Every structure is written in structure tokens, then in C-alpha cells.
């Protein structure tokens, strides 16, 4: 998962305008919550999606594909 509900984001179902509205109101109504979510999201991004980590993941995939191994 890229983000987790109430840890890095307020998630809602696709095309659920009422849930989107509720999430926006909740974030706007709580600056502390909004700050906590953005701080956690940035931390997760920097930990999990660095250029080096993504390059290693792609390199590993290419090596497995070249060796004939199935995608993992």
C-alpha cells in the first residue's frame, strides 16, 4: 500500500463524493490531524520510495525476468 487509512491519509471509496467531502472537512477541521498525516506520509515516502530503493527493485525484477523466473 502506498498510504494507509488514518496513518498517512484519509482514504475513501472511488466516486464516493460524500466520503471525499467528509475527509476534506475532517482534515480542514483538524490542523493537528492534517499535519500528522502529511508528516507521516512524507516519512513513509522517504523510507520506502527512495531513488536507490526503486532502482534496486527494478534491477532485481530485470534479473529475475532475464533468468526466466516468474514476476514476484
Amino acid at each position: 500500500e502506498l498510504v494507509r487509512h488514518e496513518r498517512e491519509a484519509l482514504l475513501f471509496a472511488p466516486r464516493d463524493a460524500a466520503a471525499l467531502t467528509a475527509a476534506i472537512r475532517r482534515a480542514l477541521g483538524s490542523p493537528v490531524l492534517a499535519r500528522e498525516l502529511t508528516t507521516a506520509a512524507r516519512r513513509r515516502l522517504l523510507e520506502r520510495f527512495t531513488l536507490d530503493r526503486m532502482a534496486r527493485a527494478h534491477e532485481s525484477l530485470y534479473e529475475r525476468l532475464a533468468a526466466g523466473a516468474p514476476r514476484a
Side-chain angles (χ1 to χ4, degrees):
E1 300 258 345
L2 293 176
V3 294
R4 298 164 295 183
H5 181 58
E6 295 189 347
R7 294 177 79 179
E8 294 92 19
L10 300 176
L11 303 180
F12 50 89
R15 293 183 282 286
D16 187 341
L20 170 60
T21 300
I24 291 171
R25 285 184 174 156
R26 185 172 172 202
L28 290 175
S30 177
V32 171
L33 173 64
R35 188 172 30 259
E36 288 172 351
L37 292 172
T38 57
T39 299
R42 179 171 172 72
R43 184 178 328 117
R44 186 168 173 89
L45 171 75
L46 294 174
E47 289 171 358
R48 296 181 56 125
F49 302 101
T50 65
L51 180 59
D52 183 59
R53 187 171 178 164
M54 299 302 287
R56 283 186 278 126
H58 280 84
E59 180 181 28
S60 175
L61 172 63
Y62 295 149
E63 288 172 352
R64 288 193 313 273
L65 291 173
R71 295 180 198 180

